[in-house]
Amino acid sequence: VNICQEIRDRRRRQYLRRRRAFLLSSIAAILSLITSTNRPVWVRNRTAGQNFWATAESFDDDQWKAQFRVSRATFDYLVELIGPAIKRRRTNYRVPIEPRRRLAITLWWFARSGEYRSIADMFGVGIATVCIIVRQVTVAIVERLYRRFVSLPSGQRLDDTIRGFRQRRYPQCAGAIGGTHIPIAPPRDNPEHYLNRRGWHSVILQAVVDHDVRQGNNIFWCQRVFQKSLLSDGVEIPLHLIGDASFPLKPWLMKGYGEPHQLSPEQRRFTFALASARSVVDAAFTRLKGRWRCLLKKSDIDVSMMPRVVAACCVLHNVCQQRGDGFLPEWSFETDPSGNYLVQPETEEYEGDAYCTAEVIRHAITYDLLAVLQS
């Protein structure tokens, strides 16, 4: 009898424990629905940052552009383009950070490459959240907009580019090519592979720039698409890019003559005309880095992520150029008295050129430049 009673008591205790656990879980579920957006365990109160963002929304156009490096109209345009890709679902635990604030956080980081802690305080989010948002929005910009806004010219835009360089006194030019070093923190793996001649770690951005200082990047495109040619004294002059001494001389890539003290007057004129037309490269890099200063100094972004950061900045540069969203003089890092920016390595001259078809084309342009410009 005692054994049976003990068994019944044990079963009753087990039943009561299960019933209590069920009731507690039901109550917890109900409370989570009622208080899903007001849980101090999950959401930290960041009044200062929230006030800054609320204040930012009331900025006038000049204040907005000074803070985020783009006009409010361009900002709204970007939200329209990538908003669906950076929007997050609402959950039972918290309200998601809206796309506008996500884009603002990323543009702020691009413009200043500031510490995540200070950005987190300003925008009312967590430090880890800033890091995640910058990566997510960067990827969205590249995946959604890169092919649309970063390309070499074709069709009417190609005709406009040729005409624009012709007005700069250089003929048959479809773009100017150049490169610049982007500082990075020393990578964990093979850091010596990223050391440049100045002794600091970098990745290289190589870009093709049109007459309007927009950037493209696919240099192989020119070999199969540049088909418009001119004849000068029996020599066919194809459309081509122009570069500096670090590039090889090719039929689709012209550069100036070396050893200036040994040049003929015609060769000096050609070299000067090409260098003057190619100055758009320096202007583009100045605007790119001046607007998006994350490209000017080392950041803690992993080297594997840097190509996307650079690509996203190029997209934003081209969007601003296309929309007439001007570059402000105070953004130029070259005139910034407080800027301790790294000096670019000197250009290493390419020495593999030999007499070839490209030299014949350059010679024809050199000694018949005015006629080619007028044709």
Side-chain angles (χ1 to χ4, degrees):
V1 176
N2 291 335
I3 294 175
C4 292
Q5 182 64 38
E6 184 178 344
I7 293 174
R8 283 195 295 270
D9 291 343
R10 187 187 309 128
R11 289 178 176 174
R12 179 177 177 80
R13 287 194 299 270
Q14 291 174 347
Y15 167 76
L16 292 175
R17 281 199 298 270
R18 288 196 299 269
R19 182 176 177 82
R20 182 173 180 271
F22 172 76
L23 290 173
L24 289 176
S25 63
S26 300
I27 293 171
I30 294 171
L31 289 176
S32 69
L33 293 175
I34 296 174
T35 63
S36 61
T37 61
N38 187 26
R39 295 186 59 178
V41 173
W42 292 92
V43 181
R44 178 181 172 186
N45 185 13
R46 299 177 183 273
T47 306
Q50 292 168 348
N51 284 342
F52 168 80
W53 179 237
T55 302
E57 290 284 19
S58 64
F59 285 165
D60 63 30
D61 291 342
D62 291 339
Q63 292 173 321
W64 182 275
K65 186 166 183 173
Q67 297 297 330
F68 299 109
R69 292 296 202 268
V70 298
S71 67
R72 189 186 297 273
T74 298
F75 184 90
D76 293 339
Y77 177 66
L78 290 169
V79 172
E80 180 182 341
L81 292 178
I82 68 169
I86 62 177
K87 186 177 181 180
R88 294 296 179 264
R89 292 187 304 171
R90 181 174 182 145
T91 69
N92 290 334
Y93 299 106
R94 62 171 63 192
V95 176
I97 299 170
E98 66 277 16
R100 290 181 63 82
R101 183 155 41 150
R102 288 176 176 271
L103 178 60
I105 288 171
T106 304
L107 295 185
W108 185 279
W109 188 88
F110 282 169
R112 295 166 180 83
S113 189
E115 293 185 356
Y116 290 139
R117 182 181 299 277
S118 61
I119 298 176
D121 290 339
M122 294 182 65
F123 287 90
V125 298
I127 297 174
T129 302
V130 173
C131 181
I132 293 171
I133 286 175
V134 168
R135 289 174 178 270
Q136 289 176 342
V137 176
T138 297
V139 170
I141 291 172
V142 174
E143 291 184 350
R144 290 293 186 98
L145 306 181
Y146 186 81
R147 292 183 180 275
R148 176 173 176 177
F149 289 100
V150 181
S151 62
L152 287 172
S154 60
Q156 183 59 49
R157 186 179 157 210
L158 177 59
D159 292 338
D160 293 341
T161 298
I162 298 169
R163 188 179 307 108
F165 278 110
R166 186 181 292 270
Q167 291 172 353
R168 291 175 175 267
R169 311 304 296 167
Y170 189 88
Q172 287 292 91
C173 183
I177 188 171
T180 187
H181 287 256
I182 308 297
I184 60 171
R188 289 190 300 270
D189 299 328
N190 303 314
E192 68 279 2
H193 293 175
Y194 296 86
L195 274 176
N196 59 40
R197 289 175 172 268
R198 288 283 183 179
W200 44 276
H201 296 85
S202 64
V203 294
I204 299 176
L205 164 63
Q206 187 174 91
V208 175
V209 181
D210 68 12
H211 69 292
D212 195 31
V213 205
R214 280 197 288 263
Q215 294 172 343
N217 79 326
N218 185 3
I219 65 172
F220 300 106
W221 177 89
C222 62
Q223 299 183 62
R224 62 177 182 272
V225 178
F226 291 172
Q227 298 175 351
K228 299 182 179 181
S229 299
L230 291 177
L231 281 178
S232 175
D233 197 21
V235 176
E236 185 178 16
I237 302 175
L239 287 182
H240 55 269
L241 304 178
I242 54 177
D244 62 17
S246 65
F247 291 94
L249 184 67
K250 300 289 183 181
W252 51 270
L253 184 93
M254 292 287 108
K255 65 179 182 179
Y257 292 91
E259 302 179 355
H261 59 285
Q262 299 180 5
L263 301 182
S264 68
E266 292 84 1
Q267 289 173 330
R268 282 196 295 269
R269 181 180 62 183
F270 170 85
T271 301
F272 177 82
L274 186 146
S276 178
R278 192 186 164 278
S279 65
V280 296
V281 172
D282 295 331
F285 288 154
T286 296
R287 295 184 188 182
L288 176 71
K289 294 182 176 182
R291 194 187 293 258
W292 310 120
R293 296 201 174 194
C294 65
L295 305 181
L296 274 177
K297 50 188 178 181
K298 299 176 183 178
S299 69
D300 55 2
I301 286 285
D302 187 81
V303 66
S304 63
M305 185 65 185
M306 277 306 297
R308 288 182 174 179
V309 171
V310 174
C313 289
C314 289
V315 169
L316 295 171
H317 170 92
N318 284 1
V319 169
C320 291
Q321 287 294 123
Q322 187 179 99
R323 293 178 57 83
D325 195 341
F327 179 85
L328 301 184
E330 57 265 31
W331 293 344
S332 177
F333 62 92
E334 295 177 340
T335 59
D336 186 350
S338 63
N340 296 318
Y341 302 116
L342 296 167
V343 178
Q344 289 284 307
E346 294 182 0
T347 299
E348 182 179 3
E349 185 172 351
Y350 180 81
E351 298 180 349
D353 291 330
Y355 189 83
C356 58
T357 303
E359 183 60 53
V360 174
I361 295 172
R362 182 168 69 172
H363 184 275
I365 300 175
T366 298
Y367 288 93
D368 207 10
L369 180 60
L370 293 179
V372 174
L373 285 170
Q374 293 170 359
S375 60

